[in-house]
Amino acid sequence: MLRSFFAALIAMALSACSGGGATIEHTSAALLPMPSKVSLDPTEARDIINRYREDKGLKPLKLHPLLTKAAKAHSSDLASKDRIAHKGSDGSDPWVRVQRTGYKPRLAAENVGAGQMSLAEVFKGWQDSPGHDENLLLPDATHMGIALVHNPSTEYKTFWTLVLGKPL
């Protein structure tokens, strides 16, 4: 019962979110351990997202280390505060967080998720959320970065961020 309540709460949070772009730096040793049942392979994530984009006639994305840095920083920030939001704890928006990494964006967008226990689950949530799905299918996006941070001492436990971009 409690799990279904949290799943509904997360679904509502995801459906209320819309695009933006980037992340913050925040690292804590308590956030680093990841249980074996919850993991992220960025290459697998890229391939899943690219298959979805290609099915819609869109060009594939390439993993970019600066967008991955932005995604990890935002997931770490969310995990440290046990919340799901596009606004950073310092008030930053995705665009600013992407720029902080040194990436010079022409386009920057962000998807977040919290509480999902697999890449498949978070990806399905993003597809089902109109704003997040729109980001997945941004025709001008060329790069992506994705991160998962696990914090077992929080309510959500897992914090996912996908950052999409196109450089100047």
Side-chain angles (χ1 to χ4, degrees), residues 10 17 19 23 25 34 37 45 58 74 79 84 90 99 111 119 128 134 137-138 140 145 160 168:
I10 290 165
C17 294
T23 358
E25 271 308 307
M34 186 93 70
K37 67 179 181 174
L58 298 172
H74 192 56
I84 181 170
D90 65 353
Q99 289 180 314
N111 285 1
L119 174 61
D128 291 345
E134 184 178 326
L137 300 174
L138 283 169
D140 293 335
W160 303 79
L168 289 174

Side-chain angles (χ1 to χ4, degrees), residues 15-70:
S15 66
C17 294
S18 60
T23 358
I24 322 170
E25 271 308 307
H26 202 93
T27 306
S28 169
L31 302 179
L32 298 178
M34 186 93 70
S36 61
K37 67 179 181 174
V38 183
S39 63
L40 171 64
D41 176 347
T43 302
E44 177 188 6
R46 180 206 58 209
D47 293 348
I48 289 169
I49 291 167
N50 282 341
R51 276 193 300 275
Y52 183 59
R53 289 175 57 85
E54 288 169 11
D55 286 348
K56 307 287 186 184
L58 298 172
K59 293 179 182 176
L61 302 172
K62 294 178 183 170
L63 285 169
H64 195 286
L66 294 178
L67 296 184
T68 298
K69 181 178 179 181

Side-chain angles (χ1 to χ4, degrees), residues 68-153:
T68 298
K69 181 178 179 181
K72 183 165 183 140
H74 192 56
S75 284
S76 294
D77 183 47
L78 296 174
S80 73
K81 305 293 187 217
D82 197 15
R83 65 191 194 96
I84 181 170
H86 290 287
K87 188 175 189 177
S89 63
D90 65 353
S92 63
D93 63 35
W95 184 268
V96 167
R97 294 189 302 269
V98 165
Q99 289 180 314
R100 285 179 185 167
T101 69
Y103 190 90
K104 307 283 188 231
R106 171 175 296 181
L107 169 118
E110 173 184 90
N111 285 1
V112 296
Q116 296 86 356
M117 297 305 285
S118 69
L119 174 61
E121 187 180 351
V122 76
F123 182 68
K124 176 75 170 116
W126 289 338
Q127 287 178 300
D128 291 345
S129 165
H132 288 106
D133 192 53
E134 184 178 326
N135 286 345
L136 290 170
L137 300 174
L138 283 169
D140 293 335
T142 57
H143 295 130
M144 65 169 275
I146 190 165
L148 165 64
V149 171
H150 184 262
N151 186 344
S153 66

